[in-house]
Protein backbone atom coordinates (compact mmCIF):
# COMPACT_ATOMS: atom_id res chain seq x y z
CA UNK A 1 0.00 0.00 0.00
CA UNK A 2 2.83 2.40 0.86
CA UNK A 3 4.54 1.40 -2.40
CA UNK A 4 1.34 2.29 -4.28
CA UNK A 5 1.43 5.81 -2.79
CA UNK A 6 5.01 6.43 -3.88
CA UNK A 7 4.27 4.98 -7.32
CA UNK A 8 1.27 7.31 -7.70
CA UNK A 9 3.39 10.33 -6.73
CA UNK A 10 6.02 9.28 -9.26
CA UNK A 11 3.49 8.68 -12.09
CA UNK A 12 1.59 11.96 -11.60
CA UNK A 13 1.89 14.29 -14.56
CA UNK A 14 0.57 17.67 -15.63
CA UNK A 15 -1.42 16.43 -18.63
CA UNK A 16 -1.92 18.47 -21.79
CA UNK A 17 -2.19 16.31 -24.89
CA UNK A 18 -3.17 12.82 -23.77
CA UNK A 19 -6.85 13.30 -22.85
CA UNK A 20 -9.25 10.93 -24.64
CA UNK A 21 -12.51 12.74 -23.80
CA UNK A 22 -14.11 9.54 -22.52
CA UNK A 23 -16.56 9.86 -19.63
CA UNK A 24 -15.68 9.78 -15.95
CA UNK A 25 -18.17 7.82 -13.86
CA UNK A 26 -20.09 9.67 -11.17
CA UNK A 27 -18.75 7.23 -8.56
CA UNK A 28 -15.10 7.83 -9.49
CA UNK A 29 -15.59 11.59 -9.66
CA UNK A 30 -17.12 11.55 -6.18
CA UNK A 31 -14.17 9.51 -4.85
CA UNK A 32 -11.69 12.03 -6.26
CA UNK A 33 -13.59 15.04 -4.90
CA UNK A 34 -14.00 13.32 -1.52
CA UNK A 35 -10.22 12.86 -1.39
CA UNK A 36 -9.74 16.55 -2.18
CA UNK A 37 -12.27 17.54 0.48
CA UNK A 38 -10.39 15.39 3.04
CA UNK A 39 -7.30 17.62 2.83
CA UNK A 40 -6.03 19.29 6.00
CA UNK A 41 -6.89 22.97 6.35
CA UNK A 42 -5.83 25.74 8.68
CA UNK A 43 -8.28 26.06 11.58
CA UNK A 44 -10.46 23.39 9.88
CA UNK A 45 -11.71 26.23 7.70
CA UNK A 46 -11.98 24.09 4.53
CA UNK A 47 -11.80 27.28 2.45
CA UNK A 48 -12.14 25.54 -0.92
CA UNK A 49 -15.04 25.05 -3.33
CA UNK A 50 -15.11 22.95 -6.51
CA UNK A 51 -16.89 24.13 -9.68
CA UNK A 52 -17.44 21.33 -12.20
CA UNK A 53 -17.33 22.84 -15.68
CA UNK A 54 -18.86 20.76 -18.47
CA UNK A 55 -20.61 23.44 -20.56
CA UNK A 56 -18.96 23.58 -24.02
CA UNK A 57 -19.53 27.32 -24.43
CA UNK A 58 -17.87 28.13 -21.11
CA UNK A 59 -14.92 25.92 -21.99
CA UNK A 60 -14.61 27.49 -25.44
CA UNK A 61 -14.67 30.99 -23.93
CA UNK A 62 -12.00 30.07 -21.40
CA UNK A 63 -9.92 28.37 -24.09
CA UNK A 64 -9.96 31.56 -26.21
CA UNK A 65 -8.87 33.62 -23.20
CA UNK A 66 -6.06 31.19 -22.36
CA UNK A 67 -4.68 31.34 -25.87
CA UNK A 68 -4.79 35.12 -25.86
CA UNK A 69 -2.67 34.98 -22.69
CA UNK A 70 -0.38 32.47 -24.36
CA UNK A 71 0.29 35.05 -27.07
CA UNK A 72 1.00 37.70 -24.41
CA UNK A 73 3.63 35.43 -22.83
CA UNK A 74 5.06 34.36 -26.19
CA UNK A 75 5.67 38.01 -27.07
CA UNK A 76 8.10 38.27 -24.14
CA UNK A 77 10.31 35.49 -25.53
CA UNK A 78 12.90 35.45 -28.25
CA UNK A 79 15.48 33.17 -29.75
CA UNK A 80 15.70 29.62 -28.45
CA UNK A 81 13.12 30.18 -25.70
CA UNK A 82 10.54 31.33 -28.26
CA UNK A 83 11.27 28.30 -30.43
CA UNK A 84 10.89 25.87 -27.54
CA UNK A 85 7.70 27.49 -26.28
CA UNK A 86 6.10 27.36 -29.73
CA UNK A 87 6.13 23.55 -29.53
CA UNK A 88 4.64 23.29 -26.04
CA UNK A 89 0.92 22.57 -25.62
CA UNK A 90 -0.35 24.54 -22.62
CA UNK A 91 -3.83 23.10 -21.99
CA UNK A 92 -6.33 20.30 -22.52
CA UNK A 93 -9.44 22.42 -21.96
CA UNK A 94 -11.36 21.17 -24.98
CA UNK A 95 -9.96 17.62 -25.07
CA UNK A 96 -10.56 16.69 -21.43
CA UNK A 97 -13.84 15.27 -20.17
CA UNK A 98 -14.54 18.14 -17.78
CA UNK A 99 -12.78 20.80 -15.77
CA UNK A 100 -12.70 21.44 -12.03
CA UNK A 101 -12.15 25.01 -10.88
CA UNK A 102 -10.91 25.17 -7.29
CA UNK A 103 -11.49 28.39 -5.36
CA UNK A 104 -10.34 29.95 -2.09
CA UNK A 105 -12.71 31.78 0.26
CA UNK A 106 -10.63 33.69 2.86
CA UNK A 107 -13.80 34.43 4.85
CA UNK A 108 -14.55 30.75 5.46
CA UNK A 109 -14.15 29.78 9.10
CA UNK A 110 -13.82 33.41 10.20
CA UNK A 111 -13.61 35.87 11.70
CA UNK A 112 -10.90 34.13 13.76
CA UNK A 113 -9.26 31.32 11.76
CA UNK A 114 -7.17 29.35 14.21
CA UNK A 115 -3.56 29.25 12.97
CA UNK A 116 -3.85 31.95 10.32
CA UNK A 117 -3.24 35.08 12.38
CA UNK A 118 0.50 35.21 11.66
CA UNK A 119 0.52 33.65 8.17
CA UNK A 120 -2.18 35.17 6.01
CA UNK A 121 -1.57 32.70 3.16
CA UNK A 122 -2.19 29.60 5.32
CA UNK A 123 -5.71 29.34 3.89
CA UNK A 124 -4.37 29.46 0.34
CA UNK A 125 -1.87 26.73 1.24
CA UNK A 126 -4.82 24.64 2.46
CA UNK A 127 -6.49 24.94 -0.95
CA UNK A 128 -3.26 23.77 -2.60
CA UNK A 129 -3.30 20.69 -0.36
CA UNK A 130 -6.84 19.92 -1.55
CA UNK A 131 -5.65 20.27 -5.15
CA UNK A 132 -2.75 17.89 -4.52
CA UNK A 133 -5.12 15.34 -2.95
CA UNK A 134 -7.40 15.63 -5.98
CA UNK A 135 -4.47 15.22 -8.37
CA UNK A 136 -3.04 12.14 -6.66
CA UNK A 137 -6.49 10.53 -6.34
CA UNK A 138 -7.14 11.11 -10.04
CA UNK A 139 -3.76 9.57 -10.90
CA UNK A 140 -4.51 6.55 -8.71
CA UNK A 141 -7.80 6.12 -10.62
CA UNK A 142 -5.97 6.12 -13.95
CA UNK A 143 -7.07 9.64 -14.88
CA UNK A 144 -5.10 12.71 -15.88
CA UNK A 145 -5.09 16.25 -14.52
CA UNK A 146 -3.77 19.38 -16.21
CA UNK A 147 -3.44 22.67 -14.31
CA UNK A 148 -4.08 25.66 -16.60
CA UNK A 149 -2.36 28.84 -15.43
CA UNK A 150 -2.53 31.12 -18.49
CA UNK A 151 -5.48 33.22 -17.36
CA UNK A 152 -6.46 36.37 -15.51
CA UNK A 153 -8.31 35.72 -12.27
CA UNK A 154 -10.83 38.49 -12.88
CA UNK A 155 -11.79 36.98 -16.25
CA UNK A 156 -12.41 33.57 -14.70
CA UNK A 157 -14.33 35.07 -11.78
CA UNK A 158 -16.69 36.85 -14.18
CA UNK A 159 -16.99 33.86 -16.54
CA UNK A 160 -18.17 31.50 -13.79
CA UNK A 161 -19.97 34.00 -11.57
CA UNK A 162 -17.57 33.54 -8.68
CA UNK A 163 -18.43 35.98 -5.85
CA UNK A 164 -16.16 38.91 -5.12
CA UNK A 165 -13.63 38.07 -2.43
CA UNK A 166 -13.49 34.42 -3.52
CA UNK A 167 -10.30 33.68 -5.43
CA UNK A 168 -10.11 31.19 -8.32
CA UNK A 169 -6.92 29.25 -7.62
CA UNK A 170 -6.87 26.54 -10.28
CA UNK A 171 -8.58 25.48 -13.49
CA UNK A 172 -7.92 21.73 -13.64
CA UNK A 173 -8.62 19.71 -16.79
CA UNK A 174 -9.71 16.19 -15.79
CA UNK A 175 -10.40 12.96 -17.62
CA UNK A 176 -9.20 9.60 -18.92
CA UNK A 177 -5.91 9.65 -20.81
CA UNK A 178 -4.29 7.43 -23.41
CA UNK A 179 -1.18 7.32 -21.22
CA UNK A 180 0.91 9.33 -18.77
CA UNK A 181 4.28 10.42 -20.13
CA UNK A 182 7.34 8.88 -18.50
CA UNK A 183 9.08 12.28 -18.64
CA UNK A 184 7.22 15.54 -17.82
CA UNK A 185 6.37 17.72 -20.83
CA UNK A 186 8.62 20.65 -19.99
CA UNK A 187 11.60 18.35 -19.61
CA UNK A 188 10.80 16.56 -22.87
CA UNK A 189 10.61 19.89 -24.69
CA UNK A 190 13.85 21.13 -23.14
CA UNK A 191 12.23 24.03 -21.29
CA UNK A 192 13.73 23.14 -17.90
CA UNK A 193 15.27 20.16 -16.14
CA UNK A 194 14.41 18.88 -12.69
CA UNK A 195 16.49 20.20 -9.81
CA UNK A 196 18.18 17.37 -7.87
CA UNK A 197 17.01 16.90 -4.29
CA UNK A 198 20.46 17.44 -2.81
CA UNK A 199 20.51 21.02 -4.13
CA UNK A 200 17.31 21.77 -2.20
CA UNK A 201 18.50 20.35 1.14
CA UNK A 202 19.86 22.49 3.98
CA UNK A 203 20.75 21.55 7.57
CA UNK A 204 19.77 23.81 10.48
CA UNK A 205 20.42 27.02 8.51
CA UNK A 206 20.20 28.14 4.88
CA UNK A 207 23.27 26.83 3.09
CA UNK A 208 24.11 24.42 5.90
Amino acid sequence: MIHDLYETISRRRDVRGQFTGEPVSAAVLEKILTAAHAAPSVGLSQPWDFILVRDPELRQAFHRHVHTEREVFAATLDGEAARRFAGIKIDGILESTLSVVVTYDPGRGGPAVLGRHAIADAGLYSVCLAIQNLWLAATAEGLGIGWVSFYREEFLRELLGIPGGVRPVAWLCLGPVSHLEAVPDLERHGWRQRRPLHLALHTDRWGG
Side-chain angles (χ1 to χ4, degrees):
M1 193 68 172
I2 292 175
H3 172 74
D4 291 342
L5 172 61
Y6 286 111
E7 182 186 20
T8 298
I9 292 170
S10 178
R11 286 193 302 112
R12 184 214 61 81
R13 290 290 177 268
D14 199 352
V15 177
R16 301 289 186 243
Q18 294 77 45
F19 289 109
T20 66
E22 296 175 3
V24 177
S25 75
V28 168
L29 183 58
E30 183 173 359
K31 283 176 67 177
I32 293 169
L33 293 171
T34 298
H37 194 57
S41 61
V42 64
L44 198 58
S45 55
Q46 296 182 294
W48 49 71
D49 284 276
F50 308 102
I51 306 171
L52 307 183
V53 184
R54 302 181 189 272
D55 185 281
E57 291 186 7
L58 289 174
R59 292 165 71 180
Q60 285 280 2
F62 186 66
H63 182 262
R64 288 192 296 270
H65 172 72
V66 164
H67 280 264
T68 296
E69 290 299 325
R70 179 196 173 101
E71 292 173 5
V72 170
F73 179 69
T76 69
L77 305 174
D78 54 28
E80 184 61 22
R83 187 196 65 77
R84 286 196 303 267
F85 182 64
I88 296 175
K89 183 174 173 59
I90 63 166
D91 75 274
I93 297 164
L94 303 181
E95 298 90 343
S96 59
T97 306
L98 75 156
S99 291
V100 181
V101 174
V102 187
T103 62
Y104 168 49
D105 182 356
R108 185 83 46 78
V113 177
L114 191 156
R116 201 181 69 182
H117 77 285
I119 304 176
D121 285 337
L124 183 59
Y125 303 157
S126 300
V127 173
C128 291
L129 290 171
I131 292 169
Q132 180 76 330
N133 272 17
L134 191 153
W135 210 327
L136 293 177
T139 304
E141 293 290 341
L143 303 176
I145 291 275
W147 188 329
V148 183
S149 56
F150 280 76
Y151 68 87
R152 304 290 174 171
E153 290 185 16
E154 198 52 49
F155 175 89
L156 184 51
R157 181 180 287 110
E158 184 175 341
L159 180 69
L160 301 185
I162 298 169
V166 175
R167 183 177 181 184
V169 176
W171 178 296
L172 305 173
C173 303
L174 168 67
V177 291
S178 59
H179 64 284
L180 293 174
E181 294 287 356
V183 178
D185 284 357
L186 295 187
E187 286 188 80
R188 288 191 300 109
H189 286 284
W191 184 260
R192 284 187 70 90
Q193 297 299 311
R194 287 175 181 256
R195 185 183 181 210
L197 173 61
H198 74 270
L199 294 180
L201 288 177
H202 307 261
T203 301
D204 293 329
R205 298 178 187 278
W206 187 273

